[in-house]
Structures are given as C-alpha cells and as structure tokens.
C-alpha cells in the first residue's frame, strides 16, 4: 500500500503541472481562466491580455533584457527592483553624489537622469506562427535543412510583420521548437532615473539575506519613459515628453492575507522543466558542487578584503553581489533537488515513458539516444565549468587573456589600439595594486590548485607532482609575471610592436592561460560538444511532443524564455525544516530586530528609525485595534469597562506560491482585482530548484509589499509628488 502511494505522489510531480506551478502564455490564458477564478481571481483573462483594447499587458515592460517593470502613472512612471536599476544608480553616483549609498529622488521632472542604453519594451501583441515557421519542413527534412528553412521563414515573417511600422518583431521557439510565437514589440529608449532608496533600504540584508525568507529588503527603484511628441519611442531629447502608457496599474492599499489569490505578470528568463534525469544529475550533482566550491574560495578572499575598509567594500561590492547570487542559489537548488529525489523522480517518469512508447517507434529511441548524447556532452561540460569558474576567476588570468590576444595580433595598427586599451586598464588596475594583489594572488593560486587537484589542469606539471610543489609553481607564476609588474609592463607596452608578441607569449601567466585555453577550446572537442548539444535539443523536441501525447489532458506550460508570462498562486507560509514554520509576511519590526550598526548589511537609516519610533506610517501602515474588557462586580450590579488598544505596523514583504524565476525581478504582483500589491524580487532558498522541479510545499516567490515602497517614497524620502501621480485604491 505504501509503495503504491509513493508511486502515485511521484507520478503527480513529474506528470503534470502542479497546483501553482506554471508560467502561462498571456494569449492562451483563457485555458487557465476558470482555474484562476476558482482560485479567487475576480477579473477575466481578457482583462490581462487582449489585442482589441488596452489591458494589463500594456502596463508591463521588459527592463533591458533581464528584468520587468510596470507603469504606475499615466505619465510614464514605472517601478522595478533596486537590483535591476543598480547599474544605472551606480553609473550616476560619484563620491560627492553617492546615490547608491544615499538614495536619489528627482524632486522635479528636470532632475530626472537620462540612462543611455536602457530600454523599456512593451509587447504590442503576440501570435502563434508555428505553421508559417515550419512551412517547408516535412517528416523527411534533415535537421540541417530544418534549421535553414526555419531561419529563412523567421526572417521573412518578422520583416513582413513590422513593415512600415516602428515596431520590432521577434520569434521564439516553445517546447524546443514544437511551437513558435511571434512578439511584436515597441522599444522605448529615452528612460530616466526618477528615484532609488539608499542601499541600506534597497539592499537591506545584502547578500546575507539574499534568497532568504524572512526578508526585509526595500528592493525598488523608479524610472520614467519619455517619448516623442507623437507618444512613440524616440531617442533622448530634452524636448521629449513623458510617455502616456495605454494602461497603468492601479495600486491597492488593502494588502494581503494568507490564502489570498495573487498573480505575477512579467518576463521569466529560463527554466528547464522537461529535461531528463541525466540533465538534472549533471546540473545539481556535478556542475553545481564545482561552481559552489570554486566560488567559496573567491568569496572568502573578497569578503575578507571588504571588511578591511570602506574603499575595498565599494571596490568589490558589485562583483561579489553577482558571484554570491549564483553561489547561494545553486546550493539551495542542489539541496532541493536531492530532497525531492529529483533524479530518481525523473528516472521513474522515464521508465513509464518508455513503457508508453513501446509500440511507437518515433518515440521509443529518443531517451536512449539522449542518454548517449549526455555521455558525450558531460565530460566537456564539466571541463568548461572548471574553465569558467577557475581559469576565469582571477584578474591575472582574465588579464592574461587580453595579453594573449595582443600577442596574436599581427596588424600593427590594431596592436597599437590594443596596447592603448591595456595601458588605460592598467592605470586603473595598478591604483590600489598593493591591497588588491593579495586578494587576487590567493584567488589565482587556490582556484587553479583546486582545478589541478581535480585533474583538469594537467599542464601544471611539476617534477614531484605533489600539491605543495604545484602551489609553489603557481605562486611563482603570479610573482614573476610581467603583468604584475607595473613599471616593467609599462615600458614593455611603450615599446610594443607586433614582434614583441613572441616574448609576451613566454610570460608565465600568458603562457599558462594559453595552455588552459588551448586545452578547453580544442576545436575537435568543441565540435563534439556542439554536436551533442544540438542532438539533445533535437531529441528534446520529440521527447516533449511524446510527453504531451502521453498526457493529453494536461495543460502543459512552456519553459520560460524571456517572454511575457502569467504565474498565479496564493499567499502562503511554509515549513523550511523540522520544527520551523515561516509566516507569509514581514514587517518593519523585523528590520528593527535585524538592526546592527556594526554590520554593513544591517545598518538602519536614522530617518527610518524615527518614523518607526513614532509609528508614523501615514496611510500605508496597518492599524490593529484590540478591545479589552474588565468586569467589575458592585453589589448585585456588574459593570463592564472597555479599553481599546491600537497598534500600528508597517508591512514590508510577503511570500506566495507563484512560480517565478530570474527575469521576474521587478514584476508586478497583483491581487484578485488586478491591482498592484507588490514587486516580485526573489525566491526562497529552499525553493530555488523550481527552475527544474517545482514543489508546492517549498517554492515561494518573495514580494516587496507595495505599501512599504510607497511609505519609503512618501514618508521617508518626502517625494510624495510621485505618489500623487499614482492611483491608490483602498476599500477601507
Ligand atoms: N536573488 C535575487 C536575484 O536573483 C536578487 C539578487 C541581487 N541581490 C543581491 N543581494 N545580490 O536577482
Ligand atoms: N532576483 C531574481 C531576478 O533578478 C528573481 C529571483 C528569482 O530567480 O526568482 O530576476
């Protein structure tokens, strides 16, 4: 009995989309409408996506190529995460005007700062173009021919679709090329920074709290899109006017309760829901541990340096943020996969697939062939992982790559250009060389040593072949390289001609990089890798098609591919481990509990503390009233006295069961009426395996409560004029 039960529950996980799992295509949302309404939604699928009238879709934008934003005013004002706007906030920061540390608020339109290179893309409409894309592809068409035909068709279809318009068209494959959708987009390029909280609000908790719940990060920033006089995209001009979006989001001040329906509307980047057991094994148990170990080494040294001085903290901050982001996520992912027995689950599903495919020759061979392709791919994939996480870890090796390139340059004019670039880079690099080289040397030696020990750096051959001698060799390379000698390097570059290339290649660091590169990027090896990868993609197409035939009643969702999607679920806490229950929301009290003036990540702004002390939350806080009664007996009379207590709290974040991934950062989290209640910005650590496997008990997205965001803008920053542009709705 127990066995059968196990089998059924595993089957449920691998077979079909679970409750709350899925990132759905807006155009096809009609298929989910009944389910969404049953879950509490009070609007219709057409309110979310409709090509005949303005709808919620028109309020959503793709922020560059990796985050989501949403319009909150009729004047082009939009919200996204602080970590999405990060590089633009940094770009405009100087020591005198450190917007990153202190925050930035445009108090009038003319203070808004242009952000060259930043784009805000609106989806105009989408279309299923599968038939047109596959026009000319038949059962006999070879893979090579198929690729050529598809490419040609895509070019023709997209060109025709936007002819005579200012739109851009893009076609993306779904389900590994079983389906194709075309996206017609409008790309705005005059985007200006309007507001950002100080780092100790926008990044409160830093990397310590990253990927974790309970969370207290005020992860938002604000921008405004400007357009030409015709409201169409225009490149920056001071004559441009605020863009008038077809739709902007109304904001609900009602907040959320546990169990409430929510949905997330944005641009998830990548998921791999349908891959085989081999792929899950490779990612979770082979690649992730390598990456984690090598990044642990780097983080140890950077973190140590960052604690030495504010200057070093600034120097490494953004590098460490990105190294640590993956490092932490992969740990959660691997643990989650193993807790779920993800590999076994997949194997079990695969054996049922084989059983089903027994009499279907087109499907029967797919899995064995894919298994064989993974055997070809795996060793090279592992080698490339070492290459990217160890060889590319130190500045010395990254610089060596540039010098190797210079050494191979045989055109004198190009060489001069390259030399000038390197000189410029060196001016910066050698500024704080004394401090930095301690960090970089340790990272170089330890990462390369780790790679050597794993057997992936055979070129580090010493006579005795023991660890201590390899370490010595690496230290010697670091200390003797010309690249680490400012004076000698300068005079070498000053007199550089293409004839100097030979000498440069003999530099120990350049020579080492050359060996590592030549081994990793051996052309034959790369060809094998590419072939294996292409085979897997082609086989996945058939495998997934079979999966759908095998389960005709299941509404499959396509893997995330940075196209607009809807995920829905409800507000819910979870039990991360034995004996612990996490409530679904956090408050300003939690910020005060975490406060520690000695730890960078937990410094609280005096102004925020002041507002907290006064409970001065304006209309954004929650007031709870409790009534106490005391009964007094007086002879045969009883008197009841009532005293009321009111307490005020400021909500900060909440979690829900929406299926999200990287790219969903900044996505609006909406309530049953389609009103904005928060900004998505993270997932809980215990649920990060959801890119591969979704588990409703553990997978939660983390949302910044919109009320905290408005409170910071209005009460903390005194930028109430920005809130005045918005439409706030309260049922109370
Ligand atoms: N984990 C979030 C995401 O994947 C936030 C990352 C930025 N924040 C940070 N502390 N590094 O984008
Ligand atoms: N922080 C992520 C982003 O930048 C979102 C978190 C996730 O991966 O779900 O998109």
């Amino acid at each position: 009995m127990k066995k059968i039960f196990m089998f059924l529950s595993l089957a449920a996980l691998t077979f079909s989309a679970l409750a709350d799992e899925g990132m759905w295509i807006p155009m096809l949302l009609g298929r989910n409408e009944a389910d969404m309404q049953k879950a509490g939604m009070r609007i219709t699928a057409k309110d979310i996506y409709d090509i005949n009238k303005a709808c919620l879709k028109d309020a959503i934008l793709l922020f560059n190529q990796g985050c989501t934003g949403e319009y909150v005013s009729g004047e082009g004002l939009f919200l996204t995460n602080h970590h999405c706007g990060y590089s633009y906030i940094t770009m405009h920061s100087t020591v005198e005007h450190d917007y990153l540390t202190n925050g930035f608020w445009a108090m009038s339109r003319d203070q808004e700062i242009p952000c060259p290179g930043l784009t805000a893309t609106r989806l105009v409409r989408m279309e299923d173009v599968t038939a047109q894309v596959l026009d000319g592809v038949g059962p006999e068409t070879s893979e090579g021919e198929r690729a050529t035909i598809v490419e040609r068709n895509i070019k023709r279809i997209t060109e025709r679709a936007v002819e005579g318009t200012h739109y851009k068209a893009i076609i993306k494959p779904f389900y590994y090329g079983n389906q194709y959708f075309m996206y017609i987009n409008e790309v705005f390029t005059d985007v200006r920074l309007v507001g950002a909280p100080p780092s100790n609000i926008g990044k409160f908790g830093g990397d310590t709290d990253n990927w974790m719940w309970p969370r207290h990060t005020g992860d938002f920033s604000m921008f405004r899109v400007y357009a030409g006089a015709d409201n169409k995209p225009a490149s920056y001009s001071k004559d441009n006017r605020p863009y008038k979006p077809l739709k902007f989001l109304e904001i609900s001040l009602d907040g959320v309760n546990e169990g409430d329906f929510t949905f997330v509307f944005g641009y998830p980047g990548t998921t791999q829901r349908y891959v085989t057991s081999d792929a899950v094994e490779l990612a979770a148990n082979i690649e992730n541990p390598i990456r984690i170990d090598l990044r642990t080494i780097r983080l140890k040294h950077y973190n140590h340096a960052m604690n030495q001085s504010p200057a070093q903290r600034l120097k490494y901050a953004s590098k460490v943020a990105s190294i640590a982001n993956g490092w932490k996520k992969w740990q959660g992912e691997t643990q989650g996969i193993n807790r779920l027995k993800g590999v076994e689950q997949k194997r079990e599903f695969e054996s049922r697939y084989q059983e089903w495919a027994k009499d279907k020759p087109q499907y029967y061979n797919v899995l064995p062939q894919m298994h064989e392709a993974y055997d070809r791919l795996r060793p090279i994939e592992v080698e490339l992982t070492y290459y990217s996480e160890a060889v590319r870890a130190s500045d010395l090796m990254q610089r060596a790559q540039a010098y190797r390139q210079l050494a191979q340059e045989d055109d004198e004019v190009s060489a001069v250009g390259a030399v000038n670039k390197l000189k410029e880079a060196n001016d910066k690099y050698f500024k704080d060389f004394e401090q930095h080289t301690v960090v970089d040397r340790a990272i170089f030696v330890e990462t390369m040593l780790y790679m050597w020990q794993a057997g992936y750096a055979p070129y580090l051959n010493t006579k005795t072949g023991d660890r201590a001698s390899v370490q010595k060799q690496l230290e010697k390379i670091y200390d003797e390289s010309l690249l680490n000698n400012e004076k000698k390097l300068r005079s070498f570059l000053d007199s550089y001609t293409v004839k100097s290339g030979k000498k440069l290649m003999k530099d120990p660091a350049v020579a080492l990089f050359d060996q590592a590169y030549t081994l990793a990027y051996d052309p034959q090896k790369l060809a094998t890798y590419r072939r294996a990868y292409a085979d897997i993609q082609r086989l996945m197409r058939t495998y997934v098609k079979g999966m759908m035939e095998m389960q005709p009643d299941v509404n499959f969702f396509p893997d995330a591919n940075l196209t607009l999607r809807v995920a829905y679920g409800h507000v819910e806490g979870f039990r991360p481990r034995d004996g612990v229950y996490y409530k679904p929301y956090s408050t300003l009290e939690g910020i005060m509990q975490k406060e520690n003036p000695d730890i960078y990540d937990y410094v609280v702004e005096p102004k925020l503390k002041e507002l907290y002390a006064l409970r001065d939350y304006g209309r954004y806080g929650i007031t709870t009233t409790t009534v106490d009664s005391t009964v007094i007996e007086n002879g045969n009379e009883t008197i009841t006295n009532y005293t009321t207590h009111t307490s005020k709290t400021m909500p900060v974040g909440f979690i829900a069961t929406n299926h999200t991934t990287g790219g969903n950062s900044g996505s609006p989290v909406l309530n049953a009426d389609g009103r904005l209640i928060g900004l998505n910005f993270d997932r809980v650590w215990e649920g990060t395996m959801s890119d591969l496997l979704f588990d409703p008990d553990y997978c939660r997205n983390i949302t910044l409560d919109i009320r905290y965001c408005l409170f910071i803008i209005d009460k903390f920053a005194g930028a109430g004029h920005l809130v005045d542009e918005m439409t706030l709705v309260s049922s109370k």
Side-chain angles (χ1 to χ4, degrees):
M1 188 59 211
K2 200 156 175 238
K3 264 228 160 97
I4 293 173
F5 175 74
M6 268 291 289
F7 176 82
L8 284 178
S9 67
L10 287 181
L13 280 171
T14 26
F15 251 119
S16 57
L18 282 165
D20 300 332
E21 178 183 15
M23 302 166 171
W24 306 98
I25 299 178
M27 183 185 125
L28 304 177
L29 207 58
R31 294 178 189 169
N32 300 82
E33 189 179 52
D35 191 42
M36 292 172 87
Q37 289 174 341
K38 210 176 93 204
M41 183 173 77
R42 287 186 289 265
I43 58 174
T44 65
K46 275 202 177 297
D47 293 327
I48 297 173
Y49 180 90
D50 192 339
I51 48 165
N52 297 315
K53 65 174 187 356
C55 55
L56 291 178
K57 175 261 299 177
D58 296 304
I60 314 299
L61 60 95
L62 174 64
F63 183 89
N64 265 350
Q65 290 294 314
C67 279
T68 307
E70 55 277 347
Y71 291 108
V72 287
S73 97
E75 298 274 282
L77 186 67
F78 74 83
L79 285 167
T80 187
N81 288 149
H82 183 263
H83 77 262
C84 294
Y86 203 78
S87 60
Y88 296 95
I89 304 166
T90 317
M91 184 195 286
H92 299 298
S93 292
T94 59
V95 184
E96 297 80 48
H97 301 282
D98 190 347
Y99 301 143
L100 193 60
T101 306
N102 306 319
F104 168 77
W105 304 98
M107 289 300 168
S108 59
R109 298 269 160 97
D110 59 356
Q111 289 177 3
E112 298 176 352
I113 309 175
C115 298
L118 177 55
T119 59
T121 302
R122 177 182 77 98
L123 171 65
V124 178
R125 64 185 160 85
M126 58 179 295
E127 203 179 309
D128 185 341
V129 290
T130 313
Q132 296 100 295
V133 170
L134 295 180
D135 185 25
V137 175
E140 307 293 296
T141 316
S142 74
E143 266 314 293
E145 277 176 276
R146 184 189 194 272
T148 317
I149 296 171
V150 165
E151 194 182 327
R152 197 189 321 127
N153 286 345
I154 283 180
K155 189 163 182 292
R156 187 174 37 88
I157 303 161
T158 48
E159 276 171 8
R160 200 175 294 164
V162 294
E163 215 166 52
T165 73
H166 66 282
Y167 296 145
K168 301 213 158 77
I170 178 168
I171 293 178
K172 293 215 179 184
F174 285 68
Y175 305 108
Y176 296 86
N178 281 301
Q179 221 174 343
Y180 290 86
F181 282 93
M182 176 160 66
Y183 292 80
I184 307 291
N185 290 322
E186 189 174 35
V187 183
F188 292 88
T189 50
D190 185 354
V191 184
R192 306 183 194 173
L193 177 63
V194 175
S199 276
N200 53 24
I201 289 175
K203 213 188 161 179
F204 182 78
D207 284 305
T208 322
D209 284 8
N210 193 19
W211 298 113
M212 307 256 269
W213 183 256
R215 190 67 156 275
H216 300 89
T217 314
D219 199 342
F220 77 94
S221 57
M222 308 175 87
F223 292 81
R224 192 187 305 278
V225 170
Y226 282 77
D230 53 3
N231 205 34
K232 285 182 183 159
S235 46
Y236 172 81
S237 155
K238 62 174 179 21
D239 300 329
N240 283 348
R241 306 173 185 175
Y243 165 62
K244 296 201 180 333
L246 294 174
K247 178 97 186 170
F248 64 90
L249 298 180
E250 289 181 352
I251 297 172
S252 166
L253 289 179
D254 290 344
V256 286
N257 289 306
E258 182 145 24
D260 282 357
F261 173 84
T262 63
F263 68 104
V264 177
F265 201 7
Y267 283 88
T270 317
T271 58
Q272 292 173 283
R273 173 62 174 85
Y274 304 104
V275 294
T276 62
S277 53
D278 284 320
V280 175
E281 172 77 17
L282 179 59
N285 294 329
I286 303 176
E287 284 191 280
N288 281 358
I290 299 170
R291 294 163 161 168
I292 293 162
D293 276 4
L294 282 161
R295 289 192 178 200
T296 303
I297 296 175
R298 292 162 79 190
L299 288 170
K300 177 180 70 185
H301 295 293
Y302 286 133
N303 282 328
H304 178 76
M306 280 169 76
N307 286 327
Q308 302 300 307
S309 70
Q312 296 201 69
R313 172 169 298 284
L314 252 169
K315 178 177 170 84
Y316 299 119
S318 93
K319 195 178 210 158
V320 161
S322 93
I323 300 172
N325 199 39
W327 173 79
K328 197 158 180 185
K329 182 193 157 180
W330 296 322
Q331 292 177 49
E333 185 173 81
T334 292
Q335 281 191 25
I337 292 287
N338 292 334
R339 184 181 57 232
L340 280 181
K341 300 208 180 332
V343 178
E344 291 83 346
Q345 257 193 59
K346 289 272 182 182
R347 285 211 187 105
E348 204 271 325
F349 176 77
E350 284 155 20
S351 66
R352 269 177 304 122
Y353 185 95
Q354 284 308 82
E355 186 58 31
W356 167 82
K358 244 183 352 216
D359 50 358
K360 302 175 185 67
Q362 74 273 37
Y363 295 122
Y364 192 65
N365 286 323
V366 170
L367 280 171
Q369 281 178 20
M370 191 123 61
H371 186 63
E372 181 272 330
Y374 269 103
D375 284 344
R376 284 182 278 138
L377 185 89
R378 190 180 303 105
I380 311 175
E381 178 77 30
V382 169
E383 207 181 327
L384 292 173
T385 303
Y386 273 104
Y387 181 84
S388 71
E389 294 291 331
V391 177
R392 299 195 54 81
S394 61
D395 282 341
L396 178 66
M397 285 293 96
Q398 295 207 18
R399 292 170 66 227
Q401 177 160 30
Y403 284 88
R404 176 181 179 269
Q405 223 159 23
L406 169 65
Q408 292 176 342
E409 183 59 69
D410 50 19
D411 176 66
E412 208 65 75
V413 179
S414 312
V416 171
V419 164
N420 287 337
K421 266 209 192 118
L422 289 171
K423 278 185 179 166
E424 227 171 87
N426 284 341
D427 287 344
K428 259 206 212 132
Y429 191 74
F430 285 105
K431 240 181 211 156
D432 55 359
F433 183 67
E434 290 302 316
Q435 278 174 340
H436 176 66
T437 196
V438 179
V439 181
D440 195 52
R441 185 179 190 264
I443 288 174
F444 166 72
V445 173
E446 286 179 40
T447 52
M448 291 306 295
L449 199 55
Y450 183 98
M451 183 167 169
W452 170 80
Q453 201 136 38
Y456 287 92
Y459 36 81
L460 286 169
N461 268 327
T462 62
K463 277 196 200 92
T464 49
D466 63 323
R467 193 185 147 92
S469 66
V470 174
Q471 180 171 342
K472 266 218 188 77
Q473 187 191 2
L474 286 164
E475 288 165 354
K476 202 163 163 240
I477 292 173
Y478 199 92
D479 297 335
E480 290 180 2
S481 171
L482 181 65
L483 273 47
N484 284 331
N485 188 320
E486 187 180 5
K487 262 202 206 123
K488 278 195 189 158
L489 182 59
R490 190 183 306 133
S491 72
F492 178 74
L493 289 178
D494 280 343
S495 59
Y496 195 90
T497 70
V498 292
K499 284 202 198 87
S500 322
K502 252 203 187 121
K503 184 167 174 220
L504 191 50
M505 286 304 284
K506 287 205 185 97
D507 177 82
V510 179
L512 177 67
F513 177 79
D514 183 56
Q515 285 172 309
Y517 186 89
T518 312
L519 185 67
Y521 286 91
D522 169 71
Q524 221 171 336
K525 199 186 285 172
L526 273 194
T528 307
Y529 182 81
R530 290 213 180 97
R531 215 172 304 125
Y533 185 82
D535 286 346
I536 290 167
Q537 297 305 303
R538 168 178 58 86
L539 290 160
M540 279 302 291
R541 193 162 72 226
T542 312
Y543 177 50
V544 169
K545 186 160 176 247
M547 230 184 254
M548 292 166 142
E549 272 173 40
M550 183 175 155
Q551 305 156 267
D553 299 331
V554 173
N555 186 10
F556 279 81
F557 73 91
D559 270 318
N561 59 356
L562 208 64
T563 58
L564 191 57
R565 303 290 180 92
V566 173
Y568 57 96
H570 54 277
V571 177
E572 194 185 329
F574 75 113
R575 294 169 204 286
R577 52 191 173 273
D578 187 41
V580 181
Y581 171 71
Y582 279 153
K583 282 188 192 168
Y585 42 81
S586 62
T587 64
L588 189 50
E589 273 73 26
I591 294 183
M592 299 316 299
Q593 286 165 13
K594 283 181 179 174
E595 188 201 8
N596 185 337
D598 299 326
I599 300 179
Y600 183 86
D601 288 343
Y602 297 112
V603 175
V604 179
E605 286 277 317
K607 177 79 196 273
L608 188 56
K609 285 203 268 190
E610 208 176 286
L611 292 165
Y612 170 73
L614 299 170
R615 304 292 188 275
D616 185 4
Y617 303 149
R619 51 184 160 160
Y620 313 113
I622 302 171
T623 306
T624 332
T625 310
T626 45
V627 181
D628 278 345
S629 57
T630 14
V631 181
I632 300 164
E633 304 269 346
N634 182 10
N636 48 11
E637 218 184 1
T638 46
I639 303 162
T640 313
N641 280 341
Y642 294 98
T643 36
T644 54
H645 304 275
T646 55
S647 64
K648 282 186 183 172
T649 189
M650 183 70 233
V652 172
F654 63 88
I655 51 173
T657 60
N658 303 291
H659 191 184
T660 54
T661 189
N664 269 127
S665 274
S667 297
V669 180
L670 303 124
N671 67 9
D673 299 311
R675 295 200 174 110
L676 185 66
I677 49 174
L679 262 56
N680 184 76
F681 71 98
D682 213 357
R683 270 176 290 166
V684 301
W685 193 66
E686 295 82 356
T688 47
M689 68 289 177
S690 65
D691 291 349
L692 296 157
L693 275 181
F694 188 90
D695 179 351
D697 289 339
Y698 288 91
C699 293
R700 299 287 179 274
N701 66 309
I702 305 181
T703 301
L704 162 67
D705 195 303
I706 198 66
R707 292 170 295 180
Y708 184 58
C709 173
L710 297 172
F711 160 75
I712 293 295
I713 299 171
D714 187 350
K715 303 292 291 185
F716 174 84
H721 62 286
L722 295 171
V723 176
D724 293 343
E725 279 188 43
M726 307 176 193
T727 303
L728 274 41
V729 182
S730 169
S731 64
K732 282 164 208 147

